[in-house]
Amino acid sequence: MTFEIQHTDPKSNARAGKITTDHGDIETPIFMPVGTVASVKAIHFHELKEDIKAQIILGNTYHLYLRPGLQTLEGAGGLHKFNGWDKPILTDSGGFQVFSLSENRKLKEEGATFRSHIDGSKHLFTPENVVETQRTIGADIIMAFDECTPGTADYNYAKKSMEMTHRWLDRGLKHFDSTEPKYGYSQTYFPIVQGCVYPDLRRQSADFIASQNRDGNAIGGLAVGEPTEKMYEMIEVVNEILPKDKPRYLMGVGTPQNILEGIERGVDMFDCVMPTRNGRNGMLFTSQGIMNMKNERWKNDFSPLDEYGTSYVDRVYSKAYLRHLFISKELLAMQIASIHNLAFYLWLVGEARKHIQIGDFSVWKKGMVEQVARRL
RNA sequence: GGGCAGUUACCAAAGUGGCCAACUGGGGCUGACUGUAACUCAGCUGUCUUUCGACUUCGGAGGUUCGAAUCCUUCACUGCCCA
């Protein structure tokens, strides 16, 4: 994997670049739709490519390992062959499940023991076997196994957690470097910065991660309970240290505003369940603001879903119709909302890229941040 | 014409003397959701009030009782059965 910076914004740390993988190029800044169990929920890949214009999607190690399981994935010839997505795939390591399934897991130095949310069975994830699993899945970008520290953790916990993530990183990298890809194309490994909301820990972690000199670096443990301003502050602290010539991936973020603020601070890659999950729950993100499609106010509004939207669903369907579909619990509602939201997210990062190229990113971003946060 | 059963909030349906402004579903309204255990979750849903609380309700009218959605009388309506 290679990364090339093509343009930089004169007034901020924003940059536009290109990531090259064996499954194709990715123009940054980029948003990566989340496809946890080998499917971006409610979306066909045809729509994902042609209408949403996604360039890379996520998969999840924990989920795919439990179901369909490694035997099936290996039998298929990897995830790309299995689900038919022939562009790049990034897999999360299960580090987020250490956080989100904290009721069902135990942490120790060796790794994390999970109780499957499907059948309750016990499974041990280690930095090494998680590399192995991601090799078998066949992800283009493999993520380190980390502890995603809650944003509310105290200093001592955050420090110990970060130090263990660093030790896990050493082990994971050692295993990664001593093994080969299984399907003939190359894979790369991103380490993850932790350190919670504590600047000195974040700096320490960023130093450690930067010193590994990998193809790209991730910032984890944000948007997990800390105030948004803290998140922005931590991004700034970390990005001062992470190498400029490597892509920076802010994991799990976020709202359209979060993404614009991240881009301004030098982040290149984002992923978040928000456009799909919130879409399924009736929320639409648009360039003009946020709409709760279940609200009564849309009942007789026959105007197009989003007159400034770029996807066909924005023109074909009206607000009143989509509201009707949500109220009636029709599956089509979730499809339309997901397509719209993802198309909007990809449009947003694409526009950011254009404005970085033109050189007026900061001005554009300032106006857009206000617009997208409005409630319609 | 006779017999039986029933009538509770938007709908369905509990409650059969005080713990009832009334269980529970559904529907409706509003909110939440950030590396997906999420087509999920939470709140509200008689009126007035920010809260405390006050007021008016359980087909209609009248009665018994300290007290009634709950007991009695009567009227109206609905369903089933018999003529």
Side-chain angles (χ1 to χ4, degrees):
Chain A
M1 194 207 90
T2 61
F3 180 58
E4 171 198 348
I5 292 184
Q6 299 166 314
H7 300 274
T8 51
D9 180 55
K11 290 182 183 158
S12 75
N13 291 320
R15 62 263 193 91
K18 186 169 80 173
I19 295 170
T20 303
T21 78
D22 285 352
H23 281 101
D25 297 345
I26 301 159
E27 293 185 321
T28 67
I30 191 67
F31 178 80
M32 308 181 281
V34 178
T36 307
V37 293
S39 146
V40 178
K41 294 186 194 295
I43 310 264
H44 288 290
F45 287 152
H46 175 76
E47 296 156 338
L48 208 51
K49 279 186 189 173
E50 303 304 321
D51 203 52
I52 293 164
K53 301 192 177 4
Q55 302 179 43
I56 171 172
I57 62 171
L58 256 68
N60 188 288
T61 302
Y62 167 83
H63 297 269
L64 294 170
Y65 159 86
L66 290 180
R67 210 161 48 189
L70 300 184
Q71 204 188 354
T72 299
L73 287 164
E74 187 148 24
L79 184 56
H80 293 84
K81 291 262 171 59
F82 184 57
N83 71 4
W85 176 257
D86 56 10
K87 289 168 178 268
I89 293 175
L90 178 151
T91 43
D92 186 30
S93 62
F96 185 71
Q97 279 63 45
V98 170
F99 164 78
S100 67
L101 302 179
S102 58
E103 305 277 300
N104 293 325
R105 57 85 176 146
K106 276 193 179 134
L107 278 185
K108 45 187 177 176
E109 186 64 29
E110 187 188 6
T113 306
F114 288 98
R115 267 197 186 281
S116 159
H117 68 279
I118 298 167
D119 64 5
S121 54
K122 271 191 187 173
H123 304 270
L124 174 66
F125 277 35
T126 69
E128 292 86 3
N129 72 18
V130 153
V131 165
E132 208 54 41
T133 301
Q134 292 178 94
R135 287 266 193 225
T136 301
I137 292 170
D140 298 273
I141 300 172
I142 287 175
M143 296 308 300
F145 191 51
D146 64 337
E147 179 186 3
C148 179
T149 318
T152 51
D154 64 43
Y155 185 87
N156 282 336
Y157 185 93
K159 185 169 193 291
K160 283 183 181 165
S161 167
M162 177 197 78
E163 287 165 351
M164 187 175 71
T165 288
H166 291 176
R167 290 192 297 274
W168 283 5
L169 177 61
D170 281 335
R171 288 165 51 192
L173 276 173
K174 194 172 289 178
H175 192 81
F176 177 79
D177 289 338
S178 65
T179 53
E180 293 292 322
K182 295 188 173 179
Y183 309 115
Y185 52 86
S186 66
Q187 295 178 293
T188 190
Y189 184 109
F190 282 17
I192 303 170
V193 175
Q194 286 291 340
C196 200
V197 294
Y198 308 104
D200 66 308
L201 296 182
R202 283 284 173 184
R203 281 190 201 100
Q204 198 182 325
S205 189
D207 274 327
F208 184 74
I209 269 56
S211 71
Q212 308 299 320
N213 196 30
R214 311 310 291 201
D215 291 338
N217 299 295
I219 307 166
L222 289 176
V224 283
E226 80 287 3
T228 305
E229 284 308 317
K230 272 282 171 201
M231 171 168 80
Y232 296 150
E233 184 191 331
M234 292 305 110
I235 296 169
E236 287 167 20
V237 164
V238 165
N239 278 356
E240 271 177 34
I241 297 169
L242 292 181
K244 289 189 167 41
D245 60 343
K246 302 285 177 65
R248 298 165 176 147
Y249 164 28
L250 177 57
M251 304 184 76
V253 173
T255 64
Q257 306 95 284
N258 293 161
I259 288 172
L260 293 171
E261 297 292 348
I263 291 172
E264 184 171 51
R265 288 164 175 77
V267 175
D268 307 291
M269 304 163 71
F270 302 85
D271 79 282
C272 191
V273 303
M274 202 172 263
T276 41
R277 179 192 290 166
N278 289 30
R280 288 195 306 283
N281 291 332
M283 183 184 279
L284 249 56
F285 297 94
T286 78
S287 61
Q288 307 301 303
I290 295 164
M291 293 189 280
N292 180 346
M293 293 317 297
K294 293 178 181 174
N295 285 172
E296 194 167 31
R297 58 170 305 193
W298 311 117
K299 187 168 187 177
N300 292 303
D301 186 335
F302 306 108
S303 63
L305 218 47
D306 178 4
E307 59 177 312
Y308 302 99
T310 57
S311 74
Y312 72 96
V313 297
D314 295 322
R315 299 184 294 275
V316 168
Y317 301 111
S318 69
K319 298 178 180 83
Y321 180 62
L322 184 58
R323 174 179 193 272
H324 160 72
L325 294 178
F326 269 112
I327 295 298
S328 307
K329 298 183 167 58
E330 282 295 321
L331 295 176
L332 183 58
M334 291 182 273
Q335 293 184 40
I336 292 172
S338 300
I339 291 172
H340 162 83
N341 279 348
L342 285 178
F344 168 66
Y345 265 63
L346 268 297
W347 172 85
L348 187 68
V349 293
E351 283 298 293
R353 180 179 160 82
K354 275 187 204 163
H355 286 281
I356 294 166
Q357 288 170 333
I358 296 168
D360 67 349
F361 172 79
S362 296
V363 176
W364 171 81
K365 176 249 163 187
K366 198 175 176 210
M368 190 52 69
V369 161
E370 284 173 22
Q371 269 182 226
V372 297
R374 288 192 305 211
R375 294 197 78 103
L376 301 177

